[in-house]
């Protein structure tokens, strides 16, 4: 199977859904790369569950501040106009439906838009983070993930076998093989990565 887009190219694809004025939450993993590719002429605020509105791109070695981290414990930068608040206020912002777009990773996405992203039964779970609140409250949810897992199993499925983070919440999936919309209970390819002609779909 062709590998398709790199992680960075996938992040650039996600930027195409970002509009000026948006408040956006980025999940850990590939979604965090999106911050590095938002054009300077687009004015958005990146929100983190640990209490920051206004995250900037990842820091250079000279910019690293160990006290400035996102919800995934990665060091970050702050943009002009950034503000800090408590985690409780951060979740109030999410639950109050003030987040326009959230971009998350996933273990499975079903053809009905169900998302499984927070645990594998029998494995240690350190915490579910804010994903359940985000998918229940954000105005739009996009998943950014590899098309298959480490065993080669397709992560786009007819029905999720893992515990759900949220039902019928995903509207678009971007993988290394293409961009897929969920329409009428099936995945519809909107764009395929170079060299990809027949990606595995349920």
């Amino acid at each position: 199977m062709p590998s398709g887009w790199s992680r960075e190219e996938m992040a650039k694809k996600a930027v195409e859904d970002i509009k000026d004025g948006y408040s956006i939450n980025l999940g850990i993993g590939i979604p965090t790369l999106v911050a590095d590719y938002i054009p300077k002429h687009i004015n958005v605020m990146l929100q983190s569950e640990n209490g920051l509105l206004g995250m900037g791109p990842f820091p250079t070695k000279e910019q690293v501040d160990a006290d400035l981290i996102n919800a995934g414990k990665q060091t970050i930068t702050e943009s002009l106009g950034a503000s800090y608040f408590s985690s409780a206020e951060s979740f109030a912002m999410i639950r109050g439906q003030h987040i326009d777009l959230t971009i998350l990773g996933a273990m499975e996405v079903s053809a009905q838009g169900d998302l499984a992203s927070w645990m594998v039964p029998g494995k240690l779970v350190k915490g579910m983070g804010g994903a359940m609140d985000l998918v229940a409250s954000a105005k739009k949810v996009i998943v950014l993930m590899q098309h298959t897992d480490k065993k080669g199993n397709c992560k786009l499925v007819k029905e999720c076998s893992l515990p759900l983070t949220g039902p019928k919440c995903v509207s678009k999936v971007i993988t290394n093989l293409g961009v897929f919309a969920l329409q009428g209970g099936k995945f519809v390819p909107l764009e395929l990565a170079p060299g990809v002609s027949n990606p595995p779909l349920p």
Side-chain angles (χ1 to χ4, degrees):
M1 184 193 310
S3 59
W5 289 316
S6 67
R7 292 161 56 94
E8 290 74 18
E9 289 169 327
M10 293 162 62
K12 289 177 184 176
K13 282 292 164 191
V15 169
E16 295 175 7
D17 281 277
I18 293 176
K19 300 187 185 307
D20 197 55
Y22 267 14
S23 292
I24 302 167
N25 185 290
L26 301 176
I28 62 174
I30 301 173
T32 59
L33 299 176
V34 173
D36 287 345
Y37 298 104
I38 298 173
K40 293 185 186 294
H41 69 275
I42 295 179
N43 182 27
V44 299
M45 282 292 186
L46 300 180
Q47 192 251 17
S48 179
E49 295 103 287
N50 61 331
L52 171 61
L53 182 66
M55 284 191 299
F58 280 115
T60 62
K61 287 184 180 178
E62 294 74 25
Q63 293 174 316
V64 169
D65 178 347
D67 292 326
L68 190 55
I69 59 173
N70 63 17
K73 311 294 189 291
Q74 297 170 306
T75 54
I76 54 176
T77 59
E78 60 181 17
S79 62
L80 183 65
S83 59
Y84 298 91
F85 35 85
S86 72
S87 181
E89 290 173 307
S90 179
F91 274 85
M93 184 182 298
I94 293 169
R95 293 169 184 168
Q97 301 184 329
H98 301 292
I99 301 299
D100 297 293
L101 171 66
T102 185
I103 303 174
L104 302 172
M107 298 172 185
E108 290 177 337
V109 179
S110 82
Q112 291 75 42
D114 302 332
L115 171 67
S117 68
W118 73 280
M119 75 167 292
V120 176
K123 299 225 174 151
L124 179 65
V125 178
K126 294 183 178 178
M128 66 182 71
M132 289 184 178
D133 294 273
L134 283 162
V135 300
S137 306
K139 295 170 185 170
K140 185 174 183 179
V141 178
I142 293 176
V143 165
L144 188 55
M145 66 177 187
Q146 296 293 331
H147 202 90
T148 57
D149 63 20
K150 292 179 181 176
K151 296 180 179 177
N153 300 311
C154 186
K155 295 166 73 174
L156 302 180
V157 296
K158 189 172 182 180
E159 294 184 4
C160 292
S161 61
L162 298 172
L164 293 187
T165 306
K168 298 181 180 178
C169 55
V170 179
S171 59
K172 181 186 280 187
V173 180
I174 301 170
T175 78
N176 53 311
L177 301 189
V179 179
F180 305 89
L182 285 78
Q183 298 175 3
K186 64 180 181 180
F187 294 98
V188 178
L190 300 177
E191 181 181 358
L192 295 178
V196 177
S197 59
N198 189 25
L201 295 171

